[in-house]
């Protein structure tokens, strides 16, 4: 099995993660600058099971991960039951609300639905290890970072597709290995 490395190039997390090279960027939510309307637009225009939460678009520093279904329920509830929550209300996942002018509408704190320690690997992690982690920890998704910046996401389905591809690889390489 050692010889395998000599012939085949190791697949890395960056080869399997989304977005792919020419895809639109990862859909993320910022920790304290998006409005209820901004987040509702993301929910309506994408079908992803969850969204990484970052400090800001510029920094791409990962703060946590939020599930789509938790967002939907929390926003629906807040719109119905929480006074002053409107489309222009700012959503924040931080401990304290961001400093906004006193005239701004009520803000919506959603820290309680944020997973503050989503599993992450670096882009250079070999897929063998990623597959192992998914199996052992029963992960649904894993985030990919480079130098602390968020780069992409790998879901359980992405891992399963990757395994299926390995099984179908061309006969020559299988013979070699
Ligand atoms: P599944 O992989 O089970 O279909 P999703 O619907 O969450 O789960 O993801 C669909 C595809 O989109 C996957 O290939 C995944 O890597 C990618 N993806 C997941 N979340 C995001 C996101 N927030 N932004 C961009 N791509 C994403």
């Amino acid at each position: 099995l050692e010889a395998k490395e000599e012939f085949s190039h190791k697949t890395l997390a960056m080869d399997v993660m989304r977005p792919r090279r020419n895809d639109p960027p990862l859909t993320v939510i910022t920790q304290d600058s998006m409005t209820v309307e901004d987040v509702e637009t993301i929910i309506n225009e994408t079908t992803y099971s969850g969204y990484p939460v970052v400090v800001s678009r510029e920094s791409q520093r990962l703060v946590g991960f939020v599930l789509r279904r938790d967002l939907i329920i929390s926003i629906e509830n807040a719109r119905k039951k929480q006074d002053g929550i409107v489309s222009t209300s700012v959503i924040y996942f931080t401990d304290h609300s961001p400093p906004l002018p006193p005239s701004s509408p009520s803000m919506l704190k959603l820290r309680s639905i944020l997973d503050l320690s989503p599993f992450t690997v670096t882009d250079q992690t070999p897929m063998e290890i990623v597959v192992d982690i998914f199996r052992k920890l029963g992960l649904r998704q894993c985030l990919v970072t480079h130098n602390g910046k968020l780069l992409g996401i790998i879901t359980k389905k992405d891992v399963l597709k990757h395994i299926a591809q390995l099984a179908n690889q061309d006969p020559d390489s299988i013979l070699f290995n």
Side-chain angles (χ1 to χ4, degrees):
L1 268 169
E2 282 308 305
K4 190 172 179 177
E5 261 93 272
E6 291 173 31
F7 298 110
S8 65
H9 218 71
K10 259 198 178 156
T11 308
L12 305 176
M14 61 176 297
D15 305 319
V16 173
M17 71 173 199
R18 304 305 160 104
R20 302 285 211 209
R21 217 169 288 280
N22 292 315
D23 285 352
L26 205 60
T27 302
V28 299
I29 294 176
T30 57
Q31 66 174 356
D32 62 0
S33 59
M34 284 185 162
T35 62
V36 164
E37 191 176 13
D38 293 335
V39 174
E40 283 173 340
T41 302
I42 287 178
I43 290 169
N44 292 330
E45 291 181 352
T46 65
T47 59
Y48 306 126
S49 317
Y51 308 92
V53 174
V54 294
V55 171
S56 64
R57 275 192 199 288
E58 306 73 55
S59 75
Q60 288 293 309
R61 297 275 153 197
L62 182 64
V63 174
F65 192 79
V66 66
L67 290 177
R68 171 194 180 79
R69 57 159 193 272
D70 291 342
L71 270 178
I72 293 173
I73 294 170
S74 300
I75 292 175
E76 251 178 38
N77 266 334
R79 275 203 184 263
K80 269 190 230 152
K81 297 175 187 156
Q82 204 171 318
D83 265 350
I85 299 299
V86 292
S87 297
T88 51
S89 294
V90 164
I91 291 180
Y92 65 102
F93 296 89
T94 45
D95 246 334
H96 302 285
S97 56
L100 287 182
S103 58
S104 325
S106 301
M107 289 181 252
L108 176 54
K109 182 170 185 171
L110 292 184
R111 189 171 181 81
S112 63
I113 61 167
L114 184 65
D115 174 359
L116 284 163
S117 39
F119 211 89
T120 61
V121 295
T122 69
D123 56 341
Q124 298 300 315
T125 308
M127 274 310 289
E128 280 168 37
I129 294 176
V130 175
V131 170
D132 220 40
I133 295 171
F134 266 84
R135 286 209 176 107
K136 290 189 174 140
L137 301 184
L139 297 184
R140 301 300 315 261
Q141 69 278 121
C142 176
L143 299 172
V144 182
T145 60
H146 180 83
N147 288 340
K149 278 191 177 191
L150 179 65
L151 270 197
I153 185 168
I154 300 175
T155 65
K156 184 176 168 182
K157 235 184 235 173
D158 294 329
V159 171
L160 293 174
K161 276 186 218 154
H162 164 71
I163 294 172
Q165 260 175 21
L166 286 185
N168 286 332
Q169 58 181 206
D170 67 278
D172 279 348
S173 80
I174 289 174
L175 268 185
F176 243 126
N177 294 335

